[in-house]
Amino acid sequence: MFMLLIDAAAWADCPSRLPPEYADDTRSSGRVILVVKDARSVGVYENDSLVPGTCFTVRLGASADDGPKARKGDMRTPEGWYAISHRNPSSSYYRSLGVNFPNFDDVMHGIEQGVIDNATGNELTAAIN
């Protein structure tokens, strides 16, 4: 399984090694797709090394300086660790991938920010589990 990591940090293109703060994360399956929002780049990493020929420019939601996704329909790209949940062959965008948004961290953040109530948070957490 690939894990998708989306971050707002900037590097010149794709770093040749997965940055240490991500490589050491227990959510990493050894295969990671790193999306850097403000650089509009995506790279595929196997065992923390960039797979040759896998650094691409990508289109995302709203501009990176708009921050992480907060709610459905805000046109922002989420930030954090996500599993790829599906491919969308009908998308207008080439090789569109769906992610498991919201994840547990997103649910907790939504409750803290008052975007969702506790009952909805419990339903989402149950669905994630």
Side-chain angles (χ1 to χ4, degrees), residues 7-126:
D7 193 1
W11 293 282
D13 298 319
C14 300
S16 61
R17 306 265 313 151
L18 197 60
E21 63 268 29
Y22 306 128
D24 296 336
D25 196 297
T26 58
R27 292 169 283 197
S28 174
S29 62
R31 292 179 289 183
V32 175
I33 299 172
L34 174 64
V35 178
V36 182
K37 287 174 55 173
D38 59 355
R40 298 290 196 254
S41 68
V42 60
V44 178
Y45 294 81
E46 186 77 45
N47 298 321
D48 303 334
S49 294
L50 181 65
V51 175
T54 64
C55 185
F56 306 98
T57 299
V58 293
R59 287 187 173 187
L60 302 171
S63 66
D65 58 342
D66 286 339
K69 186 165 191 65
R71 56 180 51 93
K72 184 176 181 177
D74 67 9
M75 299 300 293
R76 295 179 180 173
T77 300
E79 295 176 8
W81 285 94
Y82 299 92
I84 296 172
S85 58
H86 64 282
R87 289 189 302 168
N88 183 359
S90 301
S91 173
S92 301
Y93 301 96
Y94 181 67
R95 295 187 179 167
S96 169
L97 297 174
V99 298
N100 65 329
F101 178 85
N103 63 22
F104 182 74
D105 293 338
D106 298 320
V107 172
M108 294 298 100
H109 183 74
I111 292 170
E112 291 169 6
Q113 297 297 310
V115 176
I116 58 175
D117 59 31
N118 284 329
T120 303
N122 290 337
E123 291 175 20
L124 290 168
T125 299

